[in-house]
Amino acid sequence: MDSLQLQNIRKSFGSMDVLKGVELDVTRGEFVVFVGPSGCGKSTLLRIIAGLDDQTSGDVRIDGKLMNGVPPAKRGIAMVFQSYALYPHLTVAKNMALALTQEGVAKAEIDTRVATAAAMLRLEALLDRRPSELSGGQRQRVAIGRAIVRQPSLFLFDEPLSNLDAALRGGTRVEIAKLHRQLGATMVYVTHDQIEAMTLADKIVVMNGGVVEQVGRPLELYNRPATKFVAGFIGSPAMNFIDGATAARVNAAAVGVRPEHLVVGRDGSWSGTISHAEHLGADTMLYVEVPEIGLFTARIPGDVAHDVGDIVGLTPQEGRLYRFDREGRTMTG
Amino acid sequence: MMYTTRTSPLTRGVVHLVLVAYTLLCIGPVLLVAINSFKSRAAIFRSPLSLPDATTFDLIGYRTVLGQGVFARYFLNSMIVTLGSLGCVLLFGAMAAFALSEYRFKGNKLLGLYLSLGIMVPIRLGTVAILNMMVASRLVDTHLALILIYTAQGLPVAVFILSEFMQGISKDLKDAGRIDGLSEYTIFFRLVLPLMRPAVATVAVFTMIPIWNDLWFPLIVAPGEATKTVTLGAQVFIGQFVTNWNAVLAALTLAIVPVLVLYLLFSRQLIRGITAGAVK
Ligand SMILES: Nc1ncnc2c1ncn2[C@@H]1O[C@H](COP(=O)(O)OP(=O)(O)OP(=O)(O)O)[C@@H](O)[C@H]1O
Ligand SMILES: [Mg+2]
C-alpha cells in the first residue's frame, strides 16, 4: 500500500502559483528525497503533507486515508525542522514527551519510548538539560528524537542538517540512514545537499518551478536524466553543456557531458587552456577555457601534472554524451 | 555585555553629553518635587532648588497626606485601575498581535492598520461620547469604567509593537507545537508568550505610566470618593486661591513610588527588549 499519495497538488499564494500539479506515490518504508533549486516549492509541499498549510487543490493521502483538512497532529506524521524548533522552556525529556502527553499516552509508556529514543540517539546523558545548553548537533538529535517517540508512519525532514558543520553533517547523515533501516518508516526528506540526496534516497524527486521534473532512483537520475534540468542538477560539479554548432552536428539543441566523463589528452574533441586547477588529492578539477564554446570542468582521478596555462584536449567518454532537444528533453537513440 | 565601538572619543563624548543633558532634563522636575516635599512651606518658596537642611526639613506634607485616611484608598484605586488596564492591554494586545501575524485571512493587513489607527487619534477626542456611553451603561464611578477606557487607549500601541515582535518568533516552533497536537491557545500561552517577555515588558512600561498619571478620565468618569485615583486625590490640596504645596508635593512623591516599583520589576526585561537584535 502507498504510504503517501499526492494527487494533482496545487498551491497558490495570492496570484503566485507555487505548486502546479504535483503527483507522487511513496511506498511504505521508502526514503524519498526532494531536491530542487531554492524557491521551487519543496518546503511548501512538505508543509502541505504535514497539514501546516492547506493545498489550493488536490488530494493528500497518508496510508490510504484522505487527509485534506485533517490537522497535523492527527495525520500520523512527525516533522524535523531545519531550525530544530525545540521548546526552549522544556528539558530534553519533556521536549520529546510533549506530543505523547498531549495524546494522553500512559506515563509508563511515555517513559519507555523516550528512553528507547534517547538510547538510539545517544541522548541519555542530556535528558535533563534545556535546549539552550546543547550544541547544534545535540539539538538536532533531540529534534529527531522528538519525532521518533511519536512512532509516526511518515517522517518529514526539512533540510535537517543544513545548520550543522560539515563533519557533524556527515555523522548525522549516517545516523539518519541507520535510523531509517531500524525503524523501517517512510521518510520524506528535503535537502540542498547532493551527497545527502544520493546516499540517503531510495527515490529522488527533482522539482523545478513547482512541478516534478523527474522521479527515480539516484543512479537512474544520474545515468538517465529525463531533462537538461535534471542532468544539470544531479551530479557535482554540474554537467558541462554545449549548444550551437557543436550540438547541431548531432541534431540536438544542446549536448552535455559530466566533468568525470571527460578524458584529458594532448588533443581531443575540444581543446583549450587550463584557467584554474584544483588538486584535491583523490581527484583533480581542471577548468578549461575552450575558445568560442566556454568553460569546461573536468574531473580526473588522482593527481595529474597539468597546470594553469597548459593547452589540453578534452574528449567525452564513449556513450557519455547526452543530447537535449529544444524543450530541454533528453534525446535517446 | 562585551562589545567594542569603533566611534572616535569625540563622538562618544558628544553623545554622552547629550544623554546626560537629556537625563537631567527628565529627572530634574521629579527630583525637584521629591526634594521640596521634605521642606517647610517657607523654604519651598525661599529657595526651591536647595536641598532640605536641619532648619528647613519638615514632614508636614507627608503628615497631612497620610493623616487623611482616604489616601490609602486612593492608592488602592490607582493600583486596581492601572494593573487591571495593564492586564487587559497586554493580554488582548498580545492575542491580537498573535492572530494578526500568525493567521493569513482576507483583510488581515487592513485590520492591523485599523487597530493601529488609535495611535494617531487621541482617545480624549471621544470624551463626550465615552461619558455618554458610561452613563448609559451605569458605569460612572466604577473602576471598570476607567479600566475599559485605558484598555482602549493602550491597545493600539500594544498591538502595533507586539505585532512587530511577533513576526520575529520562529514559525517552526509554532509549527512544531501544532504537529505535537498543542492547541492554538497552548501555543500562544506556553510557547509564544514566554519568548515575548521583553516586548511585553516594554509595552507594559509604556502603557502603565500614562494610565497611572492620568487626571482627565478619573476626573470625568470616576470622580467619586470611592473610585478616586491618587492623581485626582492630590488635587484636593490645590485650591483656587490657596494651595497646600507641602501636601501636593508629598502626595506626588508618594505617587511615584508604586510606578517605580513596577518599573523596576519590568526593567530587567525592558532593557533586553530595547536592545534585542541590536546587540546579538
Ligand atoms: N507564506 C507564503 N506566502 C507567500 N509566498 C510564499 C509563502 N511561503 C512560500 N512562498 C513562496 O513560495 C515559493 C516556494 O517556497 P518554498 O519555501 O516552498 O521553497 P523551497 O523550495 O523550500 O526553497 P528553499 O530551498 O530555499 O527552502 C517561494 O517563491 C516563496 O517565496
Ligand atoms: Mg525550504
Side-chain angles (χ1 to χ4, degrees), chain A residues 68-88:
Chain A
N68 302 350
V70 175
K74 301 252 153 61
R75 292 192 176 202
I77 53 131
M79 188 157 172
V80 178
F81 298 87
Q82 179 181 354
S83 63
Y84 320 135
L86 299 178
Y87 308 121

PDB file of all heavy atoms in Angstrom, chain A residues 68-88:
ATOM      1  N   ASN A  68      -7.110  15.677   3.475  1.00  0.00           N
ATOM      2  CA  ASN A  68      -7.430  17.094   3.267  1.00  0.00           C
ATOM      3  C   ASN A  68      -8.150  17.661   4.484  1.00  0.00           C
ATOM      4  O   ASN A  68      -9.165  17.131   4.911  1.00  0.00           O
ATOM      5  CB  ASN A  68      -8.321  17.268   2.040  1.00  0.00           C
ATOM      6  CG  ASN A  68      -7.661  16.708   0.796  1.00  0.00           C
ATOM      7  OD1 ASN A  68      -6.477  16.368   0.837  1.00  0.00           O
ATOM      8  ND2 ASN A  68      -8.418  16.604  -0.280  1.00  0.00           N
ATOM      9  N   GLY A  69      -7.606  18.728   5.049  1.00  0.00           N
ATOM     10  CA  GLY A  69      -8.262  19.396   6.166  1.00  0.00           C
ATOM     11  C   GLY A  69      -8.031  18.759   7.527  1.00  0.00           C
ATOM     12  O   GLY A  69      -8.475  19.286   8.530  1.00  0.00           O
ATOM     13  N   VAL A  70      -7.332  17.613   7.567  1.00  0.00           N
ATOM     14  CA  VAL A  70      -7.056  16.973   8.854  1.00  0.00           C
ATOM     15  C   VAL A  70      -5.908  17.735   9.535  1.00  0.00           C
ATOM     16  O   VAL A  70      -4.910  18.041   8.895  1.00  0.00           O
ATOM     17  CB  VAL A  70      -6.661  15.494   8.645  1.00  0.00           C
ATOM     18  CG1 VAL A  70      -6.251  14.847   9.955  1.00  0.00           C
ATOM     19  CG2 VAL A  70      -7.803  14.738   7.995  1.00  0.00           C
ATOM     20  N   PRO A  71      -6.049  18.073  10.821  1.00  0.00           N
ATOM     21  CA  PRO A  71      -4.971  18.822  11.490  1.00  0.00           C
ATOM     22  C   PRO A  71      -3.688  18.002  11.605  1.00  0.00           C
ATOM     23  O   PRO A  71      -3.741  16.768  11.647  1.00  0.00           O
ATOM     24  CB  PRO A  71      -5.550  19.135  12.875  1.00  0.00           C
ATOM     25  CG  PRO A  71      -6.682  18.197  13.058  1.00  0.00           C
ATOM     26  CD  PRO A  71      -7.207  17.863  11.706  1.00  0.00           C
ATOM     27  N   PRO A  72      -2.534  18.672  11.645  1.00  0.00           N
ATOM     28  CA  PRO A  72      -1.227  17.992  11.620  1.00  0.00           C
ATOM     29  C   PRO A  72      -1.098  16.889  12.663  1.00  0.00           C
ATOM     30  O   PRO A  72      -0.568  15.818  12.355  1.00  0.00           O
ATOM     31  CB  PRO A  72      -0.238  19.120  11.928  1.00  0.00           C
ATOM     32  CG  PRO A  72      -0.934  20.384  11.612  1.00  0.00           C
ATOM     33  CD  PRO A  72      -2.396  20.135  11.734  1.00  0.00           C
ATOM     34  N   ALA A  73      -1.601  17.128  13.866  1.00  0.00           N
ATOM     35  CA  ALA A  73      -1.388  16.162  14.940  1.00  0.00           C
ATOM     36  C   ALA A  73      -2.133  14.861  14.690  1.00  0.00           C
ATOM     37  O   ALA A  73      -1.818  13.831  15.260  1.00  0.00           O
ATOM     38  CB  ALA A  73      -1.828  16.765  16.269  1.00  0.00           C
ATOM     39  N   LYS A  74      -3.138  14.895  13.797  1.00  0.00           N
ATOM     40  CA  LYS A  74      -3.965  13.704  13.560  1.00  0.00           C
ATOM     41  C   LYS A  74      -3.558  12.970  12.292  1.00  0.00           C
ATOM     42  O   LYS A  74      -4.282  12.118  11.805  1.00  0.00           O
ATOM     43  CB  LYS A  74      -5.446  14.133  13.432  1.00  0.00           C
ATOM     44  CG  LYS A  74      -5.963  14.846  14.667  1.00  0.00           C
ATOM     45  CD  LYS A  74      -6.921  13.959  15.442  1.00  0.00           C
ATOM     46  CE  LYS A  74      -6.961  14.283  16.917  1.00  0.00           C
ATOM     47  NZ  LYS A  74      -7.404  15.628  17.241  1.00  0.00           N
ATOM     48  N   ARG A  75      -2.411  13.337  11.696  1.00  0.00           N
ATOM     49  CA  ARG A  75      -2.042  12.730  10.420  1.00  0.00           C
ATOM     50  C   ARG A  75      -1.073  11.566  10.568  1.00  0.00           C
ATOM     51  O   ARG A  75      -0.676  10.959   9.575  1.00  0.00           O
ATOM     52  CB  ARG A  75      -1.418  13.784   9.503  1.00  0.00           C
ATOM     53  CG  ARG A  75      -2.413  14.813   9.051  1.00  0.00           C
ATOM     54  CD  ARG A  75      -1.873  15.678   7.935  1.00  0.00           C
ATOM     55  NE  ARG A  75      -2.933  16.585   7.480  1.00  0.00           N
ATOM     56  CZ  ARG A  75      -2.964  17.173   6.308  1.00  0.00           C
ATOM     57  NH1 ARG A  75      -1.987  16.984   5.444  1.00  0.00           N
ATOM     58  NH2 ARG A  75      -3.959  17.968   5.965  1.00  0.00           N
ATOM     59  N   GLY A  76      -0.635  11.312  11.797  1.00  0.00           N
ATOM     60  CA  GLY A  76       0.342  10.240  11.982  1.00  0.00           C
ATOM     61  C   GLY A  76       1.690  10.569  11.387  1.00  0.00           C
ATOM     62  O   GLY A  76       2.397   9.704  10.874  1.00  0.00           O
ATOM     63  N   ILE A  77       2.056  11.849  11.430  1.00  0.00           N
ATOM     64  CA  ILE A  77       3.342  12.266  10.887  1.00  0.00           C
ATOM     65  C   ILE A  77       4.175  12.881  12.001  1.00  0.00           C
ATOM     66  O   ILE A  77       3.670  13.229  13.060  1.00  0.00           O
ATOM     67  CB  ILE A  77       3.162  13.328   9.786  1.00  0.00           C
ATOM     68  CG1 ILE A  77       2.298  14.486  10.300  1.00  0.00           C
ATOM     69  CG2 ILE A  77       2.543  12.742   8.550  1.00  0.00           C
ATOM     70  CD1 ILE A  77       2.888  15.810  10.041  1.00  0.00           C
ATOM     71  N   ALA A  78       5.473  13.021  11.743  1.00  0.00           N
ATOM     72  CA  ALA A  78       6.330  13.809  12.621  1.00  0.00           C
ATOM     73  C   ALA A  78       7.258  14.600  11.724  1.00  0.00           C
ATOM     74  O   ALA A  78       7.570  14.161  10.614  1.00  0.00           O
ATOM     75  CB  ALA A  78       7.135  12.912  13.548  1.00  0.00           C
ATOM     76  N   MET A  79       7.654  15.781  12.182  1.00  0.00           N
ATOM     77  CA  MET A  79       8.448  16.629  11.303  1.00  0.00           C
ATOM     78  C   MET A  79       9.684  17.126  12.037  1.00  0.00           C
ATOM     79  O   MET A  79       9.630  17.454  13.222  1.00  0.00           O
ATOM     80  CB  MET A  79       7.594  17.808  10.841  1.00  0.00           C
ATOM     81  CG  MET A  79       8.248  18.658   9.780  1.00  0.00           C
ATOM     82  SD  MET A  79       6.976  19.548   8.844  1.00  0.00           S
ATOM     83  CE  MET A  79       7.987  20.629   7.872  1.00  0.00           C
ATOM     84  N   VAL A  80      10.784  17.181  11.324  1.00  0.00           N
ATOM     85  CA  VAL A  80      12.028  17.723  11.881  1.00  0.00           C
ATOM     86  C   VAL A  80      12.377  18.967  11.079  1.00  0.00           C
ATOM     87  O   VAL A  80      12.441  18.921   9.854  1.00  0.00           O
ATOM     88  CB  VAL A  80      13.170  16.689  11.794  1.00  0.00           C
ATOM     89  CG1 VAL A  80      14.463  17.288  12.319  1.00  0.00           C
ATOM     90  CG2 VAL A  80      12.805  15.435  12.567  1.00  0.00           C
ATOM     91  N   PHE A  81      12.584  20.070  11.797  1.00  0.00           N
ATOM     92  CA  PHE A  81      12.798  21.347  11.114  1.00  0.00           C
ATOM     93  C   PHE A  81      14.279  21.691  11.054  1.00  0.00           C
ATOM     94  O   PHE A  81      15.075  21.281  11.891  1.00  0.00           O
ATOM     95  CB  PHE A  81      12.074  22.471  11.865  1.00  0.00           C
ATOM     96  CG  PHE A  81      10.589  22.298  11.918  1.00  0.00           C
ATOM     97  CD1 PHE A  81       9.998  21.562  12.928  1.00  0.00           C
ATOM     98  CD2 PHE A  81       9.787  22.882  10.954  1.00  0.00           C
ATOM     99  CE1 PHE A  81       8.625  21.406  12.980  1.00  0.00           C
ATOM    100  CE2 PHE A  81       8.420  22.731  11.001  1.00  0.00           C
ATOM    101  CZ  PHE A  81       7.835  21.991  12.016  1.00  0.00           C
ATOM    102  N   GLN A  82      14.606  22.526  10.065  1.00  0.00           N
ATOM    103  CA  GLN A  82      15.985  22.989   9.915  1.00  0.00           C
ATOM    104  C   GLN A  82      16.454  23.734  11.163  1.00  0.00           C
ATOM    105  O   GLN A  82      17.581  23.606  11.601  1.00  0.00           O
ATOM    106  CB  GLN A  82      16.075  23.905   8.697  1.00  0.00           C
ATOM    107  CG  GLN A  82      17.459  24.464   8.474  1.00  0.00           C
ATOM    108  CD  GLN A  82      17.506  25.378   7.272  1.00  0.00           C
ATOM    109  OE1 GLN A  82      16.541  25.516   6.542  1.00  0.00           O
ATOM    110  NE2 GLN A  82      18.636  26.014   7.063  1.00  0.00           N
ATOM    111  N   SER A  83      15.540  24.517  11.742  1.00  0.00           N
ATOM    112  CA  SER A  83      15.913  25.329  12.905  1.00  0.00           C
ATOM    113  C   SER A  83      15.716  24.580  14.221  1.00  0.00           C
ATOM    114  O   SER A  83      15.688  25.190  15.271  1.00  0.00           O
ATOM    115  CB  SER A  83      15.099  26.607  12.914  1.00  0.00           C
ATOM    116  OG  SER A  83      13.727  26.304  13.044  1.00  0.00           O
ATOM    117  N   TYR A  84      15.565  23.269  14.168  1.00  0.00           N
ATOM    118  CA  TYR A  84      15.357  22.388  15.331  1.00  0.00           C
ATOM    119  C   TYR A  84      13.995  22.627  15.977  1.00  0.00           C
ATOM    120  O   TYR A  84      13.284  21.690  16.254  1.00  0.00           O
ATOM    121  CB  TYR A  84      16.441  22.536  16.402  1.00  0.00           C
ATOM    122  CG  TYR A  84      17.839  22.691  15.859  1.00  0.00           C
ATOM    123  CD1 TYR A  84      18.702  23.640  16.367  1.00  0.00           C
ATOM    124  CD2 TYR A  84      18.288  21.890  14.819  1.00  0.00           C
ATOM    125  CE1 TYR A  84      19.993  23.785  15.859  1.00  0.00           C
ATOM    126  CE2 TYR A  84      19.565  22.028  14.313  1.00  0.00           C
ATOM    127  CZ  TYR A  84      20.405  22.979  14.835  1.00  0.00           C
ATOM    128  OH  TYR A  84      21.660  23.134  14.337  1.00  0.00           O
ATOM    129  N   ALA A  85      13.654  23.924  16.235  1.00  0.00           N
ATOM    130  CA  ALA A  85      12.345  24.244  16.816  1.00  0.00           C
ATOM    131  C   ALA A  85      12.061  23.465  18.085  1.00  0.00           C
ATOM    132  O   ALA A  85      10.972  22.941  18.277  1.00  0.00           O
ATOM    133  CB  ALA A  85      11.235  24.022  15.774  1.00  0.00           C
ATOM    134  N   LEU A  86      13.050  23.377  18.972  1.00  0.00           N
ATOM    135  CA  LEU A  86      12.813  22.744  20.266  1.00  0.00           C
ATOM    136  C   LEU A  86      12.102  23.744  21.172  1.00  0.00           C
ATOM    137  O   LEU A  86      12.258  24.944  21.021  1.00  0.00           O
ATOM    138  CB  LEU A  86      14.140  22.325  20.902  1.00  0.00           C
ATOM    139  CG  LEU A  86      14.943  21.320  20.091  1.00  0.00           C
ATOM    140  CD1 LEU A  86      16.257  21.013  20.778  1.00  0.00           C
ATOM    141  CD2 LEU A  86      14.144  20.042  19.887  1.00  0.00           C
ATOM    142  N   TYR A  87      11.333  23.216  22.143  1.00  0.00           N
ATOM    143  CA  TYR A  87      10.656  24.117  23.079  1.00  0.00           C
ATOM    144  C   TYR A  87      11.677  24.611  24.092  1.00  0.00           C
ATOM    145  O   TYR A  87      12.208  23.822  24.869  1.00  0.00           O
ATOM    146  CB  TYR A  87       9.510  23.382  23.777  1.00  0.00           C
ATOM    147  CG  TYR A  87       8.583  22.706  22.799  1.00  0.00           C
ATOM    148  CD1 TYR A  87       8.367  21.336  22.846  1.00  0.00           C
ATOM    149  CD2 TYR A  87       7.960  23.441  21.803  1.00  0.00           C
ATOM    150  CE1 TYR A  87       7.536  20.711  21.934  1.00  0.00           C
ATOM    151  CE2 TYR A  87       7.125  22.822  20.885  1.00  0.00           C
ATOM    152  CZ  TYR A  87       6.921  21.464  20.952  1.00  0.00           C
ATOM    153  OH  TYR A  87       6.109  20.854  20.041  1.00  0.00           O
ATOM    154  N   PRO A  88      11.956  25.904  24.097  1.00  0.00           N
ATOM    155  CA  PRO A  88      13.089  26.408  24.885  1.00  0.00           C
ATOM    156  C   PRO A  88      12.917  26.235  26.393  1.00  0.00           C
ATOM    157  O   PRO A  88      13.893  26.154  27.115  1.00  0.00           O
ATOM    158  CB  PRO A  88      13.161  27.893  24.513  1.00  0.00           C
ATOM    159  CG  PRO A  88      11.867  28.222  23.867  1.00  0.00           C
ATOM    160  CD  PRO A  88      11.289  26.952  23.331  1.00  0.00           C
TER     161      PRO A  88
END
